[in-house]
């Protein structure tokens, strides 16, 4: 299991080279209040003076400290051998030319070797001031330091700024919250071990470090408590109850140590001598607990805990690395390779876009939208739902009232009173109603045009990811397709205009559907006439001669009526004489139910009151015209509802599908445009490099983990 910690250190370096923190590696995080002795604990573990010391806040940036144990035999082997394998085995670059037994390396200084620990301490101070300033400010940017020594155990520790309450110097007012958030960010990593440092001369129940540790680790499964400054407790008191876990139990244990005093630090007392004094103090003050306390026992405990923790985290860590490697491989593929053959690449992109555009219309695209209708499905919806419902909502008699119809009839007769309803009045009124179908038809063309514009964005966003690499090519393709659609829009609109104009050009009263409707209407009117005559009293009947004349007139027009022609039907329905007894009573009944809408109508400059009662003949003429208009309008509406979608498909949709690729090739596939169109976006090359570096790091990390034998885990 000793091989596990160097493996994690290797992974730490692999990911530090790309500046990423996407993998939460196992490490030990040191947490404590300001001046509680955190840095002293780390120095005791290293055995050398390497950290800035003093009063107040000294640690102002996270320090990631990796301790690498290297035996003298490995050092000599690495110093005399340039083999890269040996270098990776010892986690660092080849040590050739290094005469010192212990040395350090910073990540930010690359391969510079520090053999003097005073230089390491000075570099930490300089780097802290460079980022955090010289007046007590803090930063969350970490400093990475590796210490190679035969006197250390393999550990990875993180020293954090101490918890403080009152801002000093140029510290912000929310310094307490900033430090707490920084600590929680590190100890929130479920793969970390929390080293909670508390001074022995304070009440453990008020320990701020244990409080913060419990926020991130409520069950205490990864928290180890360290009691510092055992030699500074008040006379007559000891930490026996605290060390035994009687005050506050900690699952991973409580270990007490003795730090060097500030006087010892000023006098440059060696750490080795301080460890001897610590052992003597524990043997004298806590003889029964001496073998389970002290810096050496803390180092061994941390090493053991970290190894077991790594062993538990390794399977999940391996899975996480493999998943991320697959994700970054997919991301790198989406960025594409650098363009070599620009001519072939341009033609390929144009062809792919044209194919995706046509497939989206046909419904065979690879990326099918699930949240809303798109492409051909939306065009079908426009044709049969939007356009169809709009036409059905158009009333055949909308905008017409009885006075309008009567006015048209009178205007069509001229100065002579008409015996029959003039045909021109029907044509005039029905054309006016047919004209109302033109606006929804043009709106249908507009909606289809808008949807075909939306398909451009759909293809460039969901289907042809490569276009995102080349923004100028994307803009050029959008411009060409938009221009093509813009050119086809007036052609399609003209065709729709013509469809309506065709219906207006010739009113076909011999249309089979219209003739059938007239025949039914004629039969209904004849039946109503017979019922009326049957109900009339005998005294109201006219003389025999006029009656015979009326019957002759009726028989003379029987062929026209039975043939379905509306002219014969009108002649029959208009035959009653003005002196008919029924004609004097009927206008009152008809006038009561007839609608009188709209403004007053001017007949030859004579103002006729709108509310006047219509005669029986006027009422019948209006009803006949209304029924004829409705019948013919339904026929035309059905024709328009069928022909407009066909015209739009032929002149707009199918034309664009058939000519899109040739249009794109003709406009864009030119040698003078290659370099400009295939210019990548500014950040695309950078993102491709970052993704490639991260993928390389993940692949290297996967190799490092794969080198671990199963026997190493136990």
């Amino acid at each position: 299991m000793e091989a596990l910690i160097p493996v994690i250190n290797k992974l730490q370096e692999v990911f530090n080279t790309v500046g990423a923190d996407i993998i939460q590696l196992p490490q030990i995080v040191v947490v404590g209040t300001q001046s509680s002795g955190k840095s002293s604990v780390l120095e005791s573990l290293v055995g050398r003076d390497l950290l800035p010391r003093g009063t107040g806040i000294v640690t102002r940036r996270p320090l990631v400290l990796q301790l690498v144990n290297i035996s003298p035999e490995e050092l000599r082997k690495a110093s005399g051998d340039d083999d890269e394998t040996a270098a990776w085995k010892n986690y660092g670059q080849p040590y050739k030319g290094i005469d010192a037994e212990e040395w350090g390396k910073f990540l930010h200084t690359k391969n510079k070797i520090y053999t003097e620990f005073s230089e390491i301490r000075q570099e930490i101070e300089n780097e802290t001031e460079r980022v955090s300033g010289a007046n007590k400010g803090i930063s969350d940017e970490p400093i990475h330091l590796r210490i190679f020594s035969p006197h250390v155990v393999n550990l990875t520790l993180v020293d954090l700024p101490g918890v403080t309450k009152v801002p000093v110097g140029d510290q912000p007012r929310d310094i307490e919250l900033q430090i707490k958030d920084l600590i929680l960010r590190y100890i929130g990593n479920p793969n970390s071990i929390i080293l909670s440092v508390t001074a022995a001369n304070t009440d453990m129940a008020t320990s701020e470090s244990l409080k913060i540790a419990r926020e991130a680790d409520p069950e205490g499964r990864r928290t180890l408590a360290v009691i510092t400054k055992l030699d500074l407790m008040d006379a007559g008191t000891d930490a026996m109850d605290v060390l035994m876990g009687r005050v506050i139990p900690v699952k991973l244990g409580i270990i007490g140590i003795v730090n060097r005093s500030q006087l010892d630090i000023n006098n440059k007392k060696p750490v080795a001598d301080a460890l001897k004094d610590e052992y003597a103090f524990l043997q004298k003050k806590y003889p029964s607990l001496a073998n389970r306390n002290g810096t050496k026992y803390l180092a061994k405990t941390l090493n053991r805990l970290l190894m077991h923790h790594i062993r538990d985290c390794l399977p999940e860590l391996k899975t996480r690395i493999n998943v991320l490697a697959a994700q970054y491989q997919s991301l790198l593929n989406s960025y594409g390779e650098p363009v070599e053959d620009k001519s072939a690449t341009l033609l390929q992109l144009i062809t792919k876009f044209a194919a995706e555009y046509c497939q989206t219309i046909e419904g065979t695209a690879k990326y099918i939208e699930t949240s809303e209708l798109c492409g051909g499905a939306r065009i079908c919806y426009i044709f049969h739902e939007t356009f169809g419902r709009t036409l059905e909502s158009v009333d055949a008699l909308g905008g017409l009232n009885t006075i309008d119809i009567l006015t048209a009839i009178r205007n069509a007769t001229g100065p002579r009173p008409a015996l029959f309803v003039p045909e021109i009045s029907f044509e005039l009124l029905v054309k006016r109603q047919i004209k109302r179908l033109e606006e929804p038809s043009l709106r249908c063309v507009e909606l289809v045009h808008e949807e075909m514009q939306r398909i451009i964005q759909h293809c460039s966003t969901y289907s042809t990811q490569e276009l995102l690499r080349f923004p100028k090519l994307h803009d050029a393709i959008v411009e060409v397709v938009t221009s093509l659609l813009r050119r086809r829009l007036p052609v399609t609109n003209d065709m729709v205009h013509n469809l309506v104009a065709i219906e207006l050009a010739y009113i076909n009263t011999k249309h089979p559907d219209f003739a059938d409707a007239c025949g039914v209407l004629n039969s209904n009117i004849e039946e109503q006439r017979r019922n009326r005559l049957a109900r009339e009293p005998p005294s109201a009947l006219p003389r025999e001669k006029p009656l015979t004349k009326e019957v002759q007139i009726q028989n003379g027009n029987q062929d026209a009526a039975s043939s379905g022609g509306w002219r014969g039907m009108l002649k029959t329905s208009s035959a009653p004489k003005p002196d008919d007894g029924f004609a004097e009573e009927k206008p009152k009944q008809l006038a009561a139910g007839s609608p009188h809408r709209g403004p007053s109508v001017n007949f030859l400059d004579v103002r006729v009151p709108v509310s006047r009662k219509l005669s029986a003949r006027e009422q019948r003429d209006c009803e006949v015209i209304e029924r004829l208009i409705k019948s013919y309008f339904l026929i035309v509406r059905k024709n328009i509802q069928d022909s407009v979608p066909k015209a739009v498909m032929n002149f707009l949709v199918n034309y664009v599908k058939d000519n899109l690729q040739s249009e794109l090739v003709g406009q864009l596939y030119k040698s003078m445009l290659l370099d400009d169109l295939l210019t990548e976006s500014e950040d695309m090359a950078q993102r491709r490099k970052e993704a490639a570096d991260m993928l390389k790091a993940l692949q290297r990390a996967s190799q490092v983990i794969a080198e671990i034998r199963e026997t190493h885990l136990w």
Side-chain angles (χ1 to χ4, degrees):
M1 277 181 32
E2 278 293 329
L4 294 181
I5 297 178
V7 166
I8 295 301
N9 290 344
K10 287 182 183 180
L11 295 178
Q12 189 76 47
E13 169 158 319
V14 166
F15 291 114
N16 285 341
T17 56
V18 294
D21 192 23
I22 60 174
I23 295 292
Q24 295 179 321
L25 298 173
Q27 57 191 6
I28 298 172
V29 182
V30 184
V31 180
T33 56
Q34 188 172 298
S35 300
S36 61
K38 304 185 305 303
S39 298
S40 298
V41 172
L42 296 182
E43 283 188 342
S44 299
L45 295 174
V46 177
R48 300 293 294 267
D49 292 323
L50 78 159
L51 298 177
R53 303 297 296 274
T55 59
I57 183 168
V58 178
T59 305
R60 297 186 286 129
R61 287 179 61 184
L63 175 66
V64 180
L65 178 62
Q66 298 173 1
L67 305 182
V68 182
N69 179 273
I70 178 169
S71 64
E73 292 79 10
E74 291 175 332
L75 178 60
R76 285 194 298 271
K77 181 179 178 181
S79 300
D81 191 357
D82 291 337
D83 186 17
E84 187 69 18
T85 305
W88 271 106
K89 179 180 178 182
N90 295 304
Y91 182 52
Q93 299 298 323
Y95 310 135
K96 187 174 181 179
I98 300 176
D99 297 330
E101 185 183 31
E102 300 175 297
W103 69 92
K105 289 178 65 176
F106 287 96
L107 178 65
H108 64 271
T109 58
K110 306 301 180 184
N111 295 326
K112 184 177 181 180
I113 303 298
Y114 294 84
T115 57
E116 295 293 334
F117 283 84
S118 59
E119 295 180 359
I120 294 177
R121 180 170 59 251
Q122 186 62 43
E123 179 62 28
I124 292 175
E125 293 178 353
N126 295 340
E127 182 66 12
T128 299
E129 291 185 2
R130 183 183 68 83
V131 176
S132 304
N135 192 17
K136 308 301 181 182
I138 69 167
S139 171
D140 59 354
E141 184 179 344
I143 300 174
H144 293 269
L145 171 63
R146 302 198 307 275
I147 300 296
F148 299 86
S149 171
H151 307 299
V152 299
V153 295
N154 291 316
L155 284 177
T156 301
L157 305 107
V158 181
D159 187 21
L160 297 175
V163 179
T164 185
K165 297 293 183 181
V166 181
V168 295
D170 60 356
Q171 292 178 345
R173 293 187 178 183
D174 62 342
I175 184 66
E176 179 184 2
L177 293 177
Q178 288 189 18
I179 295 178
K180 185 176 180 181
D181 292 342
L182 178 62
I183 293 173
L184 289 174
R185 189 186 313 166
Y186 278 88
I187 67 177
N189 174 8
N191 295 334
S192 65
I193 295 176
I194 305 171
L195 189 64
S196 175
V197 179
T198 304
N201 55 1
T202 61
D203 190 351
M204 194 172 180
T206 62
S207 173
E208 194 72 25
S209 61
L210 282 176
K211 178 184 175 183
I212 295 178
R214 285 192 172 183
E215 291 184 20
D217 182 30
E219 299 180 359
R221 293 183 177 180
R222 50 189 181 91
T223 301
L224 174 68
V226 175
I227 307 300
T228 62
K229 304 180 181 180
L230 290 175
D231 56 333
L232 298 182
M233 297 188 68
D234 293 340
T237 62
D238 60 31
M240 186 65 72
D241 291 341
V242 173
L243 296 176
M244 293 292 290
R246 296 169 184 166
V247 179
I248 296 178
V250 180
K251 287 186 178 181
L252 296 184
I254 302 174
I255 300 176
I257 64 171
V258 177
N259 304 103
R260 290 183 299 166
S261 65
Q262 189 63 41
L263 179 61
D264 294 337
I265 297 172
N266 294 338
N267 294 334
K268 298 183 179 180
K269 181 179 179 179
V271 176
D273 294 344
L275 294 178
K276 293 179 182 179
D277 293 344
E278 178 192 49
Y279 180 76
F281 175 82
L282 291 174
Q283 288 291 346
K284 177 182 177 181
K285 191 72 175 177
Y286 305 97
S288 62
L289 301 177
N291 62 338
R292 287 183 289 150
N293 290 277
T295 302
K296 290 186 178 179
Y297 181 77
L298 174 63
K300 293 179 181 178
T301 302
L302 290 175
N303 179 262
R304 175 178 56 83
L305 289 175
L306 186 58
M307 285 191 299
H308 284 82
H309 196 62
I310 292 172
R311 182 194 66 187
D312 297 337
C313 297
L314 205 56
E316 183 181 352
L317 188 63
K318 185 176 181 179
T319 303
R320 173 69 174 161
I321 289 176
N322 292 335
V323 170
L324 285 174
Q327 292 177 352
Y328 273 91
Q329 181 66 58
S330 176
L331 182 64
L332 189 61
N333 293 339
S334 69
Y335 292 153
E337 297 294 331
V339 179
E340 296 179 358
D341 189 348
K342 293 186 176 181
S343 178
T345 301
L346 178 60
L347 185 59
Q348 179 184 1
L349 291 175
I350 289 176
T351 303
K352 187 173 182 180
F353 178 86
E356 291 288 349
Y357 191 92
C358 296
Q359 289 171 1
T360 303
I361 294 176
E362 295 170 358
T364 58
K366 181 179 179 181
Y367 299 90
I368 298 178
E369 187 70 48
T370 58
S371 59
E372 62 177 356
L373 292 179
C374 178
R378 190 172 185 86
I379 293 175
C380 178
Y381 181 86
I382 292 171
F383 285 158
H384 302 291
E385 298 293 333
T386 306
F387 179 58
R389 285 200 302 265
T390 303
L391 287 187
E392 290 174 1
S393 66
V394 178
D395 185 12
L397 299 175
L400 285 180
N401 55 35
T402 306
I403 298 300
D404 294 336
I405 297 174
L406 189 59
T407 303
I409 294 174
R410 290 191 173 185
N411 286 336
T413 59
R416 299 174 301 278
L419 296 176
F420 313 110
V421 177
E423 183 175 347
I424 192 65
S425 63
F426 162 72
E427 292 191 4
L428 177 67
L429 293 173
V430 81
K431 286 182 179 180
R432 172 179 167 183
Q433 298 306 99
I434 293 174
K435 188 69 175 176
R436 298 171 59 217
L437 298 176
E438 184 175 12
E439 183 179 351
S441 301
L442 295 176
R443 178 58 181 162
C444 175
V445 178
E446 183 180 350
L447 290 176
V448 174
H449 178 266
E450 291 176 358
E451 177 57 26
M452 297 191 73
Q453 288 276 29
R454 290 177 67 246
I455 297 177
I456 303 175
Q457 188 65 29
H458 173 83
C459 291
S460 60
T461 302
Y462 296 99
S463 303
T464 317
Q465 289 286 343
E466 292 89 341
L467 284 180
L468 300 180
R469 293 177 54 194
F470 311 109
K472 291 186 178 180
L473 176 60
H474 175 266
D475 295 341
I477 289 178
V478 171
E479 178 61 30
V480 171
V481 181
T482 303
S483 176
L484 178 61
L485 291 172
R486 192 184 304 118
R487 293 201 309 270
R488 298 306 300 175
L489 184 60
V491 177
T492 310
N493 284 335
D494 289 344
M495 185 60 198
V496 173
H497 279 296
N498 290 335
L499 289 176
V500 179
I502 288 171
E503 296 292 343
L504 294 173
Y506 181 65
I507 305 301
N508 183 17
T509 57
K510 289 293 185 179
H511 192 282
D513 295 339
F514 186 67
D516 293 343
C518 291
V520 173
L521 182 61
N522 184 34
S523 300
N524 293 337
I525 293 178
E526 286 296 325
E527 184 177 357
Q528 292 176 4
R529 179 176 176 79
R530 293 192 190 98
N531 294 337
R532 188 183 63 224
L533 293 175
R535 289 195 302 268
E536 287 181 353
S539 60
L541 289 175
R543 292 186 300 272
E544 184 66 20
K545 188 175 181 179
L547 178 61
T548 303
K549 185 179 181 180
E550 181 179 354
V551 172
Q552 290 175 353
I553 294 175
Q554 182 176 349
N555 293 334
N557 293 295
Q558 185 174 2
D559 293 336
S562 61
S563 65
W566 67 278
R567 294 176 57 92
M569 177 268 296
L570 290 178
K571 293 176 181 179
T572 305
S573 61
S574 304
K577 296 186 178 183
D579 59 343
D580 196 358
F582 176 75
E584 297 177 0
E585 299 176 1
K586 195 63 178 178
K588 298 182 180 180
Q589 291 180 331
L590 297 176
S594 61
H596 297 281
R597 301 183 299 271
S600 58
V601 182
N602 190 339
F603 295 113
L604 301 177
D605 296 331
V606 178
R607 298 185 61 84
V608 179
V610 177
S611 59
R612 74 175 181 82
K613 295 181 180 180
L614 301 181
S615 65
R617 176 174 177 174
E618 290 174 341
Q619 186 68 31
R620 284 194 304 272
D621 290 349
C622 290
E623 289 180 359
V624 169
I625 290 295
E626 287 178 358
R627 294 181 183 182
L628 292 175
I629 290 175
K630 184 179 294 184
S631 176
Y632 195 83
F633 180 84
L634 294 179
I635 295 172
V636 174
R637 187 174 71 181
K638 184 178 179 181
N639 294 340
I640 294 295
Q641 190 171 353
D642 179 65
S643 58
V644 167
K646 293 179 179 178
V648 174
M649 287 297 297
N650 181 70
F651 288 90
L652 181 61
V653 180
N654 290 343
Y655 184 91
V656 172
K657 281 173 50 182
D658 296 339
N659 295 274
L660 178 60
Q661 183 169 354
S662 60
E663 189 77 16
L664 288 172
V665 172
Q667 295 287 339
L668 303 180
Y669 193 65
K670 299 177 181 178
S671 58
M672 70 283 296
L673 298 177
L674 287 178
D675 294 334
D676 186 49
L677 292 178
L678 294 182
T679 301
E680 289 188 322
S681 58
E682 297 178 358
D683 59 338
M684 182 59 69
Q686 179 65 25
R687 284 188 289 176
R688 185 190 296 110
K689 182 179 181 301
E690 292 175 356
D693 292 343
M694 181 58 67
L695 180 61
K696 187 177 180 181
L698 290 167
Q699 291 172 345
R700 176 61 192 166
S702 181
Q703 292 177 4
V704 169
I705 293 181
E707 293 172 1
I708 302 174
R709 297 285 186 266
E710 290 295 331
T711 55
H712 291 166
L713 300 177
W714 307 100

